[in-house]
Amino acid sequence: MSSRRIFARPARFAAITPYVWMVLFFLVPFAFVLKISLSQTAIAQPPYDPVFDLTAGWETLKTALAALSIDNFRLLISDDIYVFAYVRSLTVAVTATALLLLIGYPIAYGMARLPKSWQAVAMVLVIVPFWTSFLIRIYAWINILQHDGLLNQILLTLHLVSQPVVWLSTDSAMYIGIVYSYLPFMILPLYATLAKMEPALEEAAGDLGAPPWQVFWLVTFPLSLPGVGAGVLLCFIPIVGEFVIPDLLAGSNSLMIGQTLWLEFFTNKDWPVASAAAIVLLVVLLAPLLLYERLQKRQLEQGR
Amino acid sequence: MRKLSRLSRFNIAALTLGLAFLYLPILILVIYSFNASRLVTVWGGWSLRWYHEFFNDRAMIEAAWMSLRVAVSSATIATLLGTLAAVALSRGERFRGRTLFSGMLYAPLVMPEVITGLSLLLLFVALNAERGFWTVTIAHTTLTMCFVAVVVQSRLGSLDRSLEEAAMDLGCDPVRAFLSVTLPLIAPAIVAGWMLAFTLSLDDLVIASFTTGPGSATLPIRIYSEVRLGVKPEINAICTLVIALIAGVIVIASLASKLSSSQGESAAPL
């Protein structure tokens, strides 16, 4: 079949432009991050001392390689601020992802049990807030959580508290913000696997005498694990590097790594340290990133 | 009716609470944007005062204009590139570097924005590019084309390949078969991809902060610096306008895709 062979070519042809684009603007930049993370900080514009200049030829490259410094990485390990920031980022991400799973699962489960025609509506309803700006959604919560905001007003009128509670600049505010922003990312993959599940399986377990919680725990939950995996990764990875939410909602006494990176870059103008922090963050996230890619590829390339 | 009975009380409660949790904060924000009182917490009657304030705020308007231009151009480029990437990937055959290609496309979906932003900035500095409209547009294109690729690819995956093959058996060359058979079928997904790219660009704070230059702030950058200083009713008005814009784009696009594909099921926005 000669048409099959012609058929094969356009795919390669189609790939060229996006391929070159991604190499140039996604892959190559990491080389620069790596290079600058190994440079010395300098008070200059741009604020780092370039370690090597490829245009100067291989001879200089050799001397330059000797000048590479891992000082920035040493600083990251020795300075408590960074160690704490990484630990905190991971703890926040684990806690928030667990909360998201606990809150998202019942919602996704409810969606999957709706009649078919309602399911589409429910899915749109879950997606729409995702379309409204991240920043706006965080701002909406600042409105509610501020000192004389709606939440405190309600609590006071109901006499649940005697004076306004401080919500802003606390971890609870941050967790509310994270759960609120990432909820659609958790619900959608969960819903996708739950909706595909054969209802007869649950019914059979029930008919054989299993109480509802046992049906859920022994049948529904294990079958939904692929969705759980996708949802967890989809939330966990970006939360580790989250900047906006902790910056606007959490207190400033303990920072997440995204915040320290931002601070080093914009406030201290220490590009090499910021780059080193980015590299470490990337290394921390490498395993979950690879796992996520495999899941994503399997889902998209083998059809749903 | 049996279907309805599968819904337990617990299911209904979870759905109601979940949707309320998702929508109430935005609703409150919109309502308070019409509040006449300067104090965000005191209701002073309905008023358009803060919208006036916004339209007289030159810096905000400029930032909004910048954001709109970036969003439209980056979404358009991203849709082109993302669709091409999706087409390349959905054909089962291997080509050199295919694994790397798909890896590069899926990683930005979850990559923390601080990393993407920082790395792009360092590239622009190394290239000595003047930072502003184009650097932000390139950065946003890089991020959003991956989302477009995923949306289009999932549509292509559910497509019946034999349609295109039939067109070729009837004498179309592959390009023509693609343009006249496949493209119309995936059009709703392409539209959805464009919308997603548009809203993601309009929304982005972190990557834009890294890649923009002095004097060309985008709307989120402006909003962010105002929000850091506290709640201001004008911000509520701006946010409401952005929400209205995005809602408008969604409604128009879903109507358009409904018209263009009355027979096929509409593409999921994500």
Side-chain angles (χ1 to χ4, degrees), chain A residues 19 60 62 116 159-160 168 170 186 192 194 201 215 286 291:
Chain A
Y19 203 127
T60 42
K62 250 190 257 165
K116 268 278 175 294
H159 296 288
L160 288 172
L168 280 185
T170 64
M186 183 60 89
L194 286 170
L201 291 171
V215 173
L286 207 57
L291 204 64

Side-chain angles (χ1 to χ4, degrees), chain A residues 38 50-53 57-69:
Chain A
L38 296 168
V51 172
F52 53 80
D53 192 356
W58 291 108
E59 215 27 61
T60 42
L61 184 64
K62 250 190 257 165
T63 50
L65 279 176
L68 282 181
S69 88

Side-chain angles (χ1 to χ4, degrees), chain A residues 146-148 152 156 161-167:
Chain A
Q146 61 182 321
H147 183 73
D148 41 7
N152 273 336
L156 285 172
V161 294
S162 52
Q163 50 191 348
V165 183
V166 180
W167 293 104

Side-chain angles (χ1 to χ4, degrees), chain A residues 106-116 118-119 122 199 202-203, chain B residues 1-16:
Chain A
I107 300 175
Y109 194 48
M111 280 170 67
R113 292 193 145 211
L114 283 173
K116 268 278 175 294
W118 292 18
Q119 284 190 17
E202 286 180 341
E203 279 160 24
Chain B
M1 282 302 105
R2 223 190 89 255
K3 284 230 151 165
L4 266 175
S5 68
R6 287 180 64 217
L7 269 180
S8 67
R9 254 157 228 258
F10 177 71
N11 291 148
I12 294 170
L15 275 174
T16 322

